[in-house]
């Protein structure tokens, strides 16, 4: 039993959880504060993952130049997505982003791109320089049921440090006059335009900044593991949206807590089911059905959340009341 | 009757002594339907001008064209001597020509105060980089807040300052929209049906506010249906019908103009449609 809860608690602080939280902070800025429907956060994460790993593996850049390449690629991607769509109604951005994410995924996973992107196999072993920066002495660090290596701790510290830093950045931005303009755009962009604000430019700035957060999340996502093209499908984007709505779209902390709840719930349900099956308590499902069933359970949980707390965990109930 | 607004004889499209806005040959077509086709019109500076006309006359479309919210098929217009054709809506507003909307656009999930602050111009904190450093914009923010408080008090919205704009009544939203427009410190205020859907008591206070704008030296151009309101506050009336300017002049004279009566009631309102004529058909 300790192991099961141990795992669930461990998932609270996994680097993957941090990556999802950061990507969700990006769409909190896009959707929660600016009203941009970005259904392709996966593409910004993929740009981060591939921009970074290709720079290291193929171009033989160092760690920091590779990060820079990924960030520049992210800004270019935001412009490609934003220039044709941000003058139009918000649904066009949704269509273009979801399509762009899929196009990007298919391009990087083609076998003819194998020398660069690794094709369907993806890329790995690009993190040596990152691990070399680890100041924590080698060894095993044990707490309760966990056993972490120095690399595990380093990856967690860096990932969560960045999540906190970007959360603070977002908090500062949305409380500033700049944040007031983007919130105004979310409510009614013509009204904001009539008050002398360049709405198009603000939407672009928001798209770029939120996209950069997605890109940093994409790098965090792959640093401790490998780049797999299959990870960047629509599922990734929808998980991030789930996390965002779970925590509350127009909040800063919501994304972080949403990611933690999402991942530890997934771990908890799958471990509990698995233990149940092993001990003969649950007889009507088999071990290899658990992976799917846990998503069903999480789905039911989300439905309950939407019914009983539609504003998300951190959302302001009042805001919802007026929308009705 | 002599007047100090028109330069020469009063006629549709006549020249003004001191125009602030001049439009030439502004034409907007939606497919085969010509919504606006204004040959020439001048709006007098420092006066209250009413733009009236029946439904579908093209008043709001003309507003949208002048303020950059829609692009005409042809034509040019200038504000304060500066050419405005093809200028983006936000730049038009920055030049001092601010508008409101027929369907009130209050920013619902922002507080009344935030709505007001958003109207302020040249707030350095609205740039992405400077937004990160509070000392760069907080002083400006304080003076903006002071101006906003004054305006809110004037429009009797001060008690609502910290409430969401969504909690205001329809009439209060109209007031908020007007007050917010004033935050931009405009020279010309363009109000699209400011009295629509507002109760009579509030209408009276809206009228007073509009007169107040003129007293402060602003020019007002507003769209309205109700002839009595128009007669009450406007110095000059421009009548549109089927996209064209059909009449203009001081309110009392315009109301007697046959072209205006035709526009509102139809050209054949006094011809006999007797029972025998209808029975014969055609």
């Amino acid at each position: 039993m300790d192991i099961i809860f141990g795992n669930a608690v461990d998932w609270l602080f996994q680097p993957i959880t941090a990556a999802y939280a950061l990507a969700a902070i990006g769409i909190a800025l896009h959707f929660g504060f600016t009203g941009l429907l970005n259904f392709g956060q996966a593409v910004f994460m993929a740009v981060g993952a591939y921009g970074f790993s290709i720079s290291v593996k193929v171009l033989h850049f160092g760690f920091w130049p590779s990060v820079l390449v990924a960030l520049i690629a992210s800004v270019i991607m935001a412009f490609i997505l934003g220039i044709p769509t941000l003058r139009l109604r918000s649904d066009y951005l949704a269509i273009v982003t979801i399509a762009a994410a899929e196009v990007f995924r298919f391009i990087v996973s083609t076998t003819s791109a194998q020398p660069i992107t690794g094709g369907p196999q993806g890329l790995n072993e690009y993190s040596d320089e990152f691990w070399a920066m680890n100041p924590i002495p080698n060894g095993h660090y044990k707490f309760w049921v966990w056993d972490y290596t120095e690399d595990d701790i380093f990856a967690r510290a860096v990932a969560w440090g960045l999540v906190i830093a970007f959360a603070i950045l977002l908090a500062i931005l949305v409380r500033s006059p700049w944040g007031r303009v983007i919130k105004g755009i979310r409510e009614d962009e013509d009204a904001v335009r009539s008050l002398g604000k360049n709405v198009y430019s603000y939407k672009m700035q928001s798209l770029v900044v939120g996209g950069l957060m997605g890109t940093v999340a994409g790098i965090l996502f792959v640093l401790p593991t490998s780049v797999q093209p299959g990870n960047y499908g629509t599922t990734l984007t929808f998980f991030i949206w789930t996390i965002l709505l779970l925590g509350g779209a127009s909040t800063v902390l919501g994304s972080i807590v949403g990611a933690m709840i999402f991942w530890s719930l997934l771990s908890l349900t799958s471990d509990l089911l698995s233990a149940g099956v092993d001990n003969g308590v649950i007889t009507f499902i088999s071990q290899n059905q658990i992976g799917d069933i846990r998503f069903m359970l999480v789905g039911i949980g989300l439905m309950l959340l939407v019914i009983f707390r539609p504003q998300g965990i951190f959302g302001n109930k009042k805001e919802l009341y007026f929308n009705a | 009757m002599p007047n100090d607004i028109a330069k020469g004889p009063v006629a549709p499209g006549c020249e003004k002594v001191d125009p602030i806005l001049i439009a030439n040959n502004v034409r907007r077509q939606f497919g085969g339907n010509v919504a606006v086709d204004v040959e020439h019109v001048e709006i007098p500076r420092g006066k209250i001008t009413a733009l009236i006309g029946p439904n579908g006359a093209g008043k709001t479309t003309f507003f949208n064209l002048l303020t950059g919210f829609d692009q005409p098929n042809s034509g040019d217009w200038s504000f304060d001597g500066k050419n405005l054709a093809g200028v983006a809506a936000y730049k038009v507003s920055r030049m001092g020509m601010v508008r409101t909307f027929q369907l009130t656009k209050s920013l619902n999930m922002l507080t009344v105060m935030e709505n007001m602050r958003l109207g302020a111009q040249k707030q350095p904190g609205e740039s992405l980089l400077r937004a990160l450093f509070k000392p760069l914009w907080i002083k400006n923010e304080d003076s903006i807040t002071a101006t906003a408080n004054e305006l809110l008090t004037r429009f009797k919205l001060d008690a609502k300052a910290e409430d969401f704009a969504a909690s205001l009544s329809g009439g209060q939203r109209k007031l908020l929209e007007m007050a917010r427009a004033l935050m931009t410190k405009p020279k010309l205020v363009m109000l699209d049906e400011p009295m629509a859907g507002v109760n009579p008591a509030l209408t009276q206070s809206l009228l007073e506010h509009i007169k107040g704008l003129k007293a402060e030296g602003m020019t007002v151009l507003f769209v309205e249906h109700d002839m009595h309101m128009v007669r009450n506050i406007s110095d000059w009336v421009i009548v549109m019908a089927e996209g064209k300017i059909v009449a203009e002049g001081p309110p009392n004279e315009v109301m007697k103009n046959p072209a205006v009566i035709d526009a509102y009631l139809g050209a054949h309102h006094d011809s006999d449609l007797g029972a025998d004529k209808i029975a014969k058909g055609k």
Side-chain angles (χ1 to χ4, degrees):
Chain A
M1 215 54 195
D2 267 5
I3 294 284
I4 291 176
F5 286 108
N7 275 341
V9 175
D10 175 53
W11 267 102
L12 291 178
F13 302 106
Q14 287 260 355
I16 302 259
T17 310
Y20 274 74
L22 186 49
I25 290 174
I27 47 173
L29 176 60
H30 286 161
F31 174 71
F33 293 101
T34 322
L36 299 175
L37 280 173
N38 171 12
F39 279 127
Q41 190 67 333
V43 77
F44 286 107
M45 292 183 76
V47 163
Y50 278 96
F52 174 77
S53 59
I54 291 173
S55 301
V56 173
K57 293 279 285 188
V58 182
L59 304 174
H60 305 293
F61 286 177
F63 177 81
W64 292 112
S66 302
V67 170
L68 191 66
V69 168
L71 296 180
I72 292 169
S74 166
V75 174
I76 294 171
M77 178 57 82
F79 278 114
I80 293 173
L81 296 176
I83 287 170
T85 57
L86 289 184
R87 284 187 204 281
L88 308 172
R89 237 174 33 216
S90 63
D91 10 358
Y92 291 92
L93 180 69
I95 299 165
V96 166
T97 46
I98 203 166
E102 289 298 278
V103 168
F104 191 90
R105 182 166 67 93
F106 282 118
I107 290 175
V108 293
S109 57
T110 50
T111 37
S112 45
Q114 197 141 16
I116 302 168
T117 65
Q121 277 84 49
L123 294 164
N124 53 29
E125 288 168 7
Y126 38 76
S127 308
D128 294 350
E129 211 177 321
F130 174 70
W131 299 125
M133 283 189 273
N134 187 355
I136 303 166
N138 282 11
H140 283 265
Y141 298 83
K142 293 187 181 171
F143 318 88
W144 190 29
V145 295
W146 307 307
D147 181 358
Y148 293 134
T149 67
E150 73 283 359
D151 284 348
D152 291 336
I153 294 178
F154 183 56
R156 281 165 177 73
V158 170
W160 287 99
L162 281 169
V163 169
I164 292 166
F166 277 105
I168 292 172
L169 177 76
L170 180 65
I172 292 174
L173 281 179
V174 298
R175 282 169 179 75
S176 73
W178 185 86
R180 182 165 65 220
V181 178
I182 61 164
K183 282 187 261 181
I185 292 170
R186 176 190 69 195
E187 299 299 319
D188 192 319
E189 57 175 81
D190 275 344
V192 176
R193 203 170 274 133
S194 79
L195 297 171
K197 319 290 176 202
N198 186 349
V199 168
Y200 180 67
S201 160
Y202 278 99
K203 283 161 94 175
M204 189 61 88
Q205 291 169 28
S206 169
L207 189 66
V208 167
V209 174
L212 282 172
M213 292 177 183
T215 298
V216 175
I219 300 174
L220 287 180
F221 191 62
V222 297
L223 268 180
T225 55
S226 59
V227 179
Q228 298 292 336
N231 285 344
Y232 301 96
T234 45
T235 323
L236 176 60
T237 298
F238 293 144
F239 280 178
I240 297 167
W241 272 89
T242 306
I243 286 166
L244 179 75
L245 299 178
L246 191 62
S250 311
T251 64
V252 176
L253 285 178
S255 306
I256 298 175
V257 177
M260 288 176 151
I261 293 176
F262 181 79
W263 282 110
S264 69
L265 264 187
L266 272 183
S267 154
L268 195 64
T269 46
S270 96
D271 284 357
L272 281 177
L273 286 171
S274 164
V277 172
D278 279 348
N279 300 325
V281 184
I282 303 171
T283 51
F284 51 91
I285 54 174
S286 67
Q287 210 43 270
N288 48 16
Q289 292 172 320
I290 288 171
D292 294 329
I293 287 177
R294 64 179 182 155
F295 281 111
M296 296 181 196
L297 289 177
V298 170
I300 293 171
L302 285 171
M303 284 161 68
L304 293 175
L305 180 96
V306 171
I307 293 166
F308 294 106
R309 203 171 163 81
Q311 71 274 35
I313 293 164
F314 279 84
N316 183 347
K317 181 94 191 185
K318 258 204 291 191
E319 296 191 1
L320 214 75
Y321 165 71
F322 287 122
N323 269 336
Chain B
M1 192 181 114
N3 68 69
D4 56 350
I5 294 176
K7 213 179 210 171
V10 175
C14 66
E15 280 182 46
K16 305 299 187 303
V17 178
D18 184 14
I20 188 166
L21 183 69
I22 305 171
N24 282 311
N25 299 314
V26 177
R27 187 179 165 88
R28 177 71 167 109
Q29 264 178 286
F30 297 108
N33 176 22
V34 182
V36 169
D37 186 9
V38 171
E39 248 175 55
H40 184 83
V41 71
E42 299 184 2
I43 309 297
R45 186 191 306 272
K47 307 285 178 193
I48 300 177
T49 305
L51 181 62
I52 66 170
N55 285 324
K59 305 182 296 289
T60 296
T61 309
F62 191 46
F63 248 54
N64 288 343
L65 294 172
L66 292 180
T67 50
F69 279 83
D70 191 8
Q71 301 304 321
N73 298 86
S74 64
D76 59 84
W77 61 102
S78 63
F79 169 71
D80 231 0
K82 281 167 287 206
N83 180 34
L84 271 194
V87 173
Y90 74 93
K91 287 185 185 156
V92 172
S93 162
R94 283 182 192 174
M95 283 180 187
M97 180 166 151
V98 71
R99 70 168 297 183
T100 66
F101 296 86
Q102 187 173 359
L103 300 169
T104 324
K105 291 187 186 294
S106 55
L107 304 167
N108 287 342
M109 291 306 129
L110 265 57
T111 64
V112 169
M113 181 47 94
E114 292 280 86
N115 264 275
M116 294 295 286
R117 288 186 184 131
L118 192 59
Q121 303 296 300
K122 297 192 177 128
Q123 161 57 286
E126 285 178 4
S127 110
L128 179 57
L129 288 181
R130 272 175 286 193
L132 297 172
F133 306 101
K134 204 169 181 179
L136 293 180
W137 49 262
I138 191 68
K139 243 177 107 182
N140 205 306
E141 192 80 347
D142 290 342
S143 74
I144 288 171
T145 308
T147 318
N149 270 322
E150 273 171 39
L151 277 168
L152 286 178
T153 312
R154 198 167 112 200
F155 284 82
K156 299 201 174 60
L157 288 170
D158 44 335
K160 292 273 190 183
E162 296 309 320
D163 293 358
F164 280 128
S167 72
L168 300 182
S169 72
Q172 286 172 322
R173 288 183 205 190
K174 289 263 177 203
L175 288 173
L176 172 62
E177 203 186 20
M178 199 191 288
R180 192 179 63 196
L182 295 183
M183 285 295 291
T184 66
K185 301 204 161 65
K187 287 180 236 168
L188 170 61
V189 185
M190 300 178 64
L191 308 169
D192 196 350
E193 299 207 15
M195 268 72 98
V198 176
N199 73 53
L202 206 49
T203 302
Q204 206 50 47
S205 95
L206 264 168
L207 289 179
E208 291 309 315
H209 287 309
I210 294 175
K211 282 185 194 165
L213 302 184
K214 179 183 156 190
E216 284 177 46
M218 284 176 244
T219 307
V220 180
L221 174 65
F222 72 104
V223 170
E224 189 47 61
H225 277 297
D226 189 323
M227 295 293 227
H228 298 286
M229 312 270 183
V230 171
R231 209 191 307 256
N232 258 330
I233 60 165
S234 53
D235 302 304
W236 195 257
V237 178
I238 297 174
V239 188
M240 274 184 89
E242 290 165 13
K244 294 186 167 61
I245 308 280
V246 293
E248 60 177 297
N252 287 324
E253 288 172 32
V254 161
M255 306 292 175
K256 294 176 206 146
N257 187 324
V260 179
I261 298 167
D262 285 353
Y264 268 89
L265 301 174
H268 304 289
H269 69 279
D270 50 1
S271 57
D272 182 24
L273 286 174
D276 49 335
K277 265 191 184 171
I278 293 169
K280 278 180 205 160
K282 292 170 191 174

